[in-house]
């Protein structure tokens, strides 16, 4: 039922969903330029018959959203101290059960200077593939591209990610952040 509803909503709003929804892995959702990105990713996932987990800043879990977000797969995260939540997710991912987690690598809807490396570190720690999901407003297309493995070389992995997202613009292209890591994240990932 949810799959049909999601497909119908995408069609009625003029969006096309593409690619196969993975059953396990870390999903990079990008570009993250709008509050609608969460809704679009849910529709794409539901179209594929999957309900994912989504890391969402804990501040959004107040009020009525505090009831709704967990039911949609939302997991509250303290962006200043994400360690406990991330360690728990890595343990769960290593359990062998299907595990799918969506992360917005930019970490925010506003234009920033870099991506956060959490998606790569979680995938590498848990031995999970990285699935590249996208939203492209100009073409009204959303869905999944390739899946890759996190290697020991974060810079090379980010080159692969950057190449895929080169032509993906998001709902608000002016807010798009180029997929690159801070130098300290690159150094930490290598060490």
């Amino acid at each position: 039922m949810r799959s049909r509803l999601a497909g119908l909503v995408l069609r009625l709003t003029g969006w096309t969903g593409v690619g196969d929804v993975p059953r396990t892995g870390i999903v990079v959702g990008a570009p993250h330029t709008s509050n609608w990105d969460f809704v679009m990713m849910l529709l794409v996932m539901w179209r594929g018959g999957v309900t994912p987990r989504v890391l969402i800043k804990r501040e959004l879990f107040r009020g009525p959203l505090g009831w709704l977000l967990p039911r949609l797969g939302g997991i509250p995260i303290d962006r200043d101290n994400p360690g406990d939540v991330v360690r728990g997710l890595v343990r769960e991912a290593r359990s062998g059960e299907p595990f799918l987690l969506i992360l917005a690598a930019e970490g925010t809807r506003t234009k920033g200077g870099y991506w956060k490396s959490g998606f790569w570190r979680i995938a590498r720690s848990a031995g999970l593939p990285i699935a590249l999901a996208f939203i492209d407003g100009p073409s009204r297309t959303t869905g999944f591209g390739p899946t890759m493995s996190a290697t020991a070389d974060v810079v090379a992995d980010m080159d692969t990610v950057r190449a895929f997202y080169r032509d993906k613009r998001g709902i608000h292209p002016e807010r798009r952040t180029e997929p690159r890591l801070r130098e300290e994240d690159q150094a930490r990932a290598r060490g």
Side-chain angles (χ1 to χ4, degrees), residues 113-171:
Y114 57 86
W115 278 23
K116 297 184 177 193
S117 60
F119 75 91
W120 182 87
R121 287 185 314 207
I122 294 171
R124 183 123 168 94
S125 295
L128 292 173
I130 298 170
L132 304 179
F134 70 95
I135 297 172
D136 187 56
S139 69
R140 296 190 68 80
T141 305
T142 184
F144 286 88
T147 297
M148 59 185 273
S149 295
T151 69
D153 187 347
V154 68
V155 175
D157 290 348
M158 283 306 296
D159 286 344
T160 301
V161 170
R162 190 177 301 106
F164 174 73
Y165 285 108
R166 183 168 287 124
D167 63 345
K168 312 303 185 278
R169 300 292 171 228
I171 292 174

Side-chain angles (χ1 to χ4, degrees), residues 57-70 76:
K57 64 182 175 181
R58 71 177 177 184
E59 294 82 3
L60 291 179
F61 285 78
R62 296 182 186 130
L65 288 179
W67 173 86
L68 179 63
L69 290 176

Side-chain angles (χ1 to χ4, degrees), residues 88-112:
L89 289 169
V90 168
R91 276 192 305 276
E92 188 177 341
R94 288 179 177 163
S95 73
E97 295 296 316
F99 179 88
L100 194 61
L101 176 67
I102 297 178
L103 297 168
E106 292 135 311
T108 181
R109 293 174 315 281
T110 59
K111 187 174 180 74

